[in-house]
Amino acid sequence: MSDNFDNYGMGTEPEYPSDDNSSVTGVEAAPKKKKGAKIAAIAAGSVVALGGAGVAAYNLSDYVKNQVKLVTCEPAEYYAWVNEETADDFATYVGESYSDYLKTREKGSSTNYALKYNMTDEAKDTFLAEMLGTEYEATADEDTQMLIDVVNNIDTLEIGIDAAAKQSAVMESIYASLNGEKLVSAEIGVDSETLEYFLRIPELTEKWIGMDMGYMFDSEYMGSEDSETMNLLLDVMNDPGEYLTPAEVSALITRYADAWNSSVDDVKLQKNETVEIGSVKMDYTVITAEIDEEKALDIAEAFVEKASDDKIIKKLLVEKLETCTEDEYSETITSLLEDIRDEKESGDFGDEIFTVTTYVDATGTVRGISASFEEDFDFRFIVGGDGDKIAADIYLSVEGEEVIKANLDGETKGDAVSGVIDCTAAGDTSFSVEFSDIETVSEDKGYVNGNLTIVVPDIDPISLALTSDGKSQNVTYGINVDGVNYGDIVLVMSSEDSAEITLPKAEDSVMMDIETGEFDVDSYVTEDDVHSFIAELCKKIGLSEEYAQTIADAAIDSIYYAEDDYYYDDEYYYDDEYYFDDEYYYDDEYYYDDEYYYDDEYFYDDEYYSDEYFDEYFEEYDAVEDYLDEYSFDDVEAEFSEFDAA
């Protein structure tokens, strides 16, 4: 086994597999009987509770130690030893990771994401020609020339988000920039302990808008039981280390891994079994455990017995979370054990089988695992390496329908790795990811150099360049369409392990009442603030002072004075001149006077229509006239007046 194989993590996170094309298979499933679905639930739940202890491959047991165990141990003893070794290492890994998380949470951390578009002169010319015509420079007037100047001024457009978190405080800034100059941004602050939210646009005003969302978790709003649950959840999120320490997390993983190992005491072991993983063939020790309903009950019983005297769990539930009393905890454990034992004594078991297969290499390291339950669930994940070659397979189907199937084939060269990942999703959607010269620059951050190409049927391949200086990760996509170089799009990501955050205070903010929607806009921002903000934004993108002021003036009219000018002032909506005055609506001249509607000249004189025809015809018009007399437009005007007052 080459060192490169381990360096690229190909033996670090095996999970659950099972693939019909594998050269190693589990025990054939017995005829299906739905009652035994609990087998899958208990067995799968046990694996989850183990936290991957019997599955993860963080153990680096040496070759000799493993071979001695293979020779001297019974299959069940060897299986338990492999699980114990990996569980111990996995428990240590999880405990250390959790400890790092708590430390980072205490001292703070920040992340930065930016999406940049670098525009070429060729792209600018193409854009202007499409919009203004190919002779745009020769025919441009003053206004058009300003637009041309604005476009030609663009070198880089950028949108991004800067986020920082420390303890219960979170701050985010979402922004847009042109050529490195910030155009506009929105800052958001959240206190997850008090549930206060703050928002501002600093280019508009330095003042904050504040919202107190805490009322949503009050018992008066959501009921006492739900309120208690949500507030408890918030407490745990805001101080997780107070409820479980890193040492306690590690101890729980080790404790319940032992419950699995003590229960699964009948396994089948095959040494030096050849397993095909992509283009690589590996000799693994294959251990298969079959969990029927009776065995599932044994596992459940072992877990509950472990919980019966588990001081960590009991203290968490009784003292810290206060979800039950000590007596209630004991009564629940006793009741669960009685139910399990009663079911075992009944002997009424189904014949479904939950099969778990573990793949172990010559050093005792778990390199993969598969799990299947009839046709309901089938999962396989396995990795391997032979010399410079590396490979991995993953497969998942649910209720007989393939969800995902992926195969990785790669080759290491020095510190870099190249290869391809072929994927099929939902049974019929296929794509592949080709990677070349992937080399780690920062192990802590996961930054790399290299190249990726995403190949999807019927569309052009998408090529991405990965570059890093160790401080950030860049992902670059070059845009070339029909021979035109439009520039490139660059995603930039970085993070830091410390942060300082100062949240605004409610008493210094203009608070919005979320329940009533009340908010004093005038005390937050003035008309002059808005005008200045719009004018400055226009000038930043390249418009002249005159145009910037004109646009700002028009915007102010629209925002502040539109209602007076257009909606329900006297001039346009319900004044006498246009809507329901005598001249236009129901005066004699236009609507039902003699001249136009039913006078002799046009409607029912002898020249055009018979008297008999119009006798009938104007019975309807008489009714309309009566209606108009009864429901005058004075009433309508009164209604509009009431609306205006409101």
Side-chain angles (χ1 to χ4, degrees), residues 93-106:
Y93 168 79
V94 172
E96 290 176 350
S97 298
Y98 181 49
S99 177
D100 291 342
Y101 162 74
L102 294 178
K103 291 176 182 176
T104 299
R105 189 178 182 281
E106 188 66 27

Side-chain angles (χ1 to χ4, degrees), residues 514-545:
I514 300 299
E515 292 186 85
T516 63
E518 292 181 3
F519 177 65
D520 188 357
V521 177
D522 293 333
S523 65
Y524 174 67
V525 65
T526 67
E527 182 180 321
D528 289 341
D529 292 333
V530 177
H531 188 282
S532 176
F533 167 72
I534 296 172
E536 287 301 314
L537 180 60
C538 291
K539 288 189 285 185
K540 287 178 182 178
I541 66 175
L543 297 181
S544 67
E545 175 73 27

Side-chain angles (χ1 to χ4, degrees), residues 285-305:
T285 297
V286 181
I287 310 170
T288 302
E290 298 177 342
I291 313 298
D292 59 15
E293 187 172 348
E294 185 174 11
K295 179 57 64 178
L297 291 170
D298 289 340
I299 295 170
E301 184 176 15
F303 270 76
V304 176
E305 286 178 342

Side-chain angles (χ1 to χ4, degrees), residues 594 597-615 617-618:
D594 293 338
Y597 274 77
Y598 46 87
D599 64 339
D600 293 340
E601 181 178 353
Y602 289 98
F603 279 84
Y604 53 90
D605 59 2
D606 295 338
E607 183 178 351
Y608 293 95
Y609 296 94
S610 68
D611 290 341
E612 181 179 354
Y613 174 86
F614 264 92
D615 284 340
Y617 189 85
F618 274 98

Side-chain angles (χ1 to χ4, degrees), residues 573-576 578-582 585-586 633 636-637 640:
Y573 267 73
Y574 52 85
D575 64 325
D576 292 339
Y578 289 98
Y579 271 76
F580 33 80
D581 63 341
D582 292 340
Y585 270 75
Y586 52 89
F633 276 88
V636 178
E637 183 173 9
F640 269 88

Side-chain angles (χ1 to χ4, degrees), residues 97-240:
S97 298
Y98 181 49
S99 177
D100 291 342
Y101 162 74
L102 294 178
K103 291 176 182 176
T104 299
R105 189 178 182 281
E106 188 66 27
K107 65 182 181 181
S109 63
S110 63
T111 56
N112 311 95
Y113 296 91
L115 188 65
K116 300 180 179 181
Y117 171 50
N118 299 312
M119 194 175 191
T120 63
D121 290 340
E122 193 174 2
K124 298 172 189 178
D125 184 64
T126 302
F127 173 75
L128 289 170
E130 287 287 338
M131 185 170 59
L132 304 174
T134 55
E135 302 296 324
Y136 64 86
E137 290 183 329
T139 60
D141 56 17
E142 183 180 352
D143 292 345
T144 304
Q145 187 59 51
M146 183 178 299
L147 174 61
I148 294 171
D149 292 341
V150 168
V151 173
N152 285 329
N153 181 55
I154 300 172
D155 292 323
T156 301
L157 292 170
E158 177 182 343
I159 57 173
I161 178 170
D162 299 328
K166 184 175 183 180
Q167 299 172 1
S168 62
V170 177
M171 282 288 291
E172 294 182 356
S173 175
I174 304 170
Y175 65 88
S177 296
L178 172 63
N179 301 337
E181 181 184 13
K182 190 172 290 185
L183 297 175
V184 63
S185 61
E187 295 180 353
I188 303 168
V190 179
D191 188 332
S192 61
E193 188 171 354
T194 63
L195 293 179
E196 291 177 329
Y197 288 69
F198 302 92
L199 169 69
R200 73 173 176 180
I201 299 175
E203 293 79 14
L204 173 62
T205 177
E206 290 297 312
K207 296 179 182 178
W208 290 88
I209 297 174
M211 294 169 283
D212 186 354
M213 307 294 287
Y215 79 94
M216 296 181 65
F217 298 108
D218 291 342
S219 57
E220 294 83 1
Y221 186 84
M222 65 185 322
S224 57
E225 186 173 339
D226 290 340
S227 173
E228 185 176 338
T229 300
M230 292 304 300
N231 280 288
L232 179 59
L233 179 60
L234 286 173
D235 288 342
V236 174
M237 291 173 59
N238 287 321
D239 194 3

Side-chain angles (χ1 to χ4, degrees), residues 361-398:
D361 71 7
T363 68
T365 302
V366 175
R367 294 299 185 185
I369 193 167
S370 68
S372 62
F373 180 69
E374 305 295 322
E375 295 181 358
D376 293 343
F377 176 79
D378 194 357
F379 184 82
R380 163 187 164 105
F381 180 78
I382 187 168
V383 297
D386 184 9
D388 292 335
K389 293 184 177 181
I390 59 174
D393 283 349
I394 185 170
Y395 176 83
L396 172 65
S397 70
V398 177

